[in-house]
Amino acid sequence: MGRKRKSLEDRFWAKVDVRSSDECWMWTGYTNKAGYGRIHDGANNWIPLYAHRVSWNLAHPDDIAKDGDGADLICHTCDNPSCVNPKHLWKGTCADNIHDMMKKGRMHVADRRGSKNGRAILKESDIPEILLSRKQGMRYKDIAKKFG
């Protein structure tokens, strides 16, 4: 007879470095490139789960995070992807997570206006010449041809 598998909860807590309630509890198992912990569900299909989502679901059995369409995000107040301390986690939407990132100054959006846009043909230095050409009566068609 085969040996009995440990429950997801037992396997989860075996891979958590539990500290004081205010500190980050670090995931000691496998992490992906972004630093998020991963654990398999342990069922026959062996679906990989995010450790911080498992932590949330274990700590909040009456408020389980939904997967799939309309999925709930489990976000970190500590901004530490390897942390699984339920006190450092909160449930939100994608918009909530983006607002949190912006509020904390962690969302870096590259300036892609004008000639910084990868599809730009014109440079900012071309604009005065274009305006002057138009002012002198040059047709838009001819200006477009001149500047490619």
Side-chain angles (χ1 to χ4, degrees), residues 78-120:
C78 59
D79 299 328
N80 181 348
S82 296
C83 176
V84 294
N85 182 344
K87 281 183 68 176
H88 291 192
L89 304 175
W90 55 280
K91 186 163 82 166
T93 64
C94 186
D96 294 332
N97 195 34
I98 290 170
H99 287 111
D100 182 57
M101 288 169 56
M102 290 170 64
K103 183 175 73 180
K104 293 175 178 174
R106 290 189 306 104
M107 188 169 197
H108 305 288
V109 180
D111 182 6
R112 298 281 187 239
R113 294 176 289 178
S115 62
K116 295 175 188 166
N117 185 306
R119 294 177 176 228

Side-chain angles (χ1 to χ4, degrees), residues 18 27 52 72 76 87 94 117-118 123 127-128:
V18 178
W27 178 253
H52 64 287
D72 296 310
H76 292 84
K87 281 183 68 176
C94 186
N117 185 306
K123 299 178 195 75
I127 294 170

Side-chain angles (χ1 to χ4, degrees), residues 13-28:
W13 289 116
K15 296 182 183 318
V16 178
D17 181 11
V18 178
R19 304 202 171 202
S20 75
S21 64
D22 293 330
E23 291 181 86
C24 288
W25 296 358
M26 300 306 290
W27 178 253
T28 62

Side-chain angles (χ1 to χ4, degrees), residues 5-66:
R5 287 187 188 155
K6 289 184 178 178
S7 70
L8 174 61
E9 185 171 3
D10 288 342
R11 289 183 301 107
F12 173 82
W13 289 116
K15 296 182 183 318
V16 178
D17 181 11
V18 178
R19 304 202 171 202
S20 75
S21 64
D22 293 330
E23 291 181 86
C24 288
W25 296 358
M26 300 306 290
W27 178 253
T28 62
Y30 171 80
T31 57
N32 65 15
K33 288 179 183 176
Y36 291 96
R38 301 290 288 201
I39 187 170
H40 284 94
D41 67 351
N44 291 332
N45 47 3
W46 285 88
I47 296 171
L49 307 170
Y50 282 106
H52 64 287
R53 290 180 68 82
V54 172
S55 178
W56 173 269
N57 289 340
L58 290 173
H60 302 91
D62 296 330
D63 191 18
I64 299 289
K66 294 185 299 252

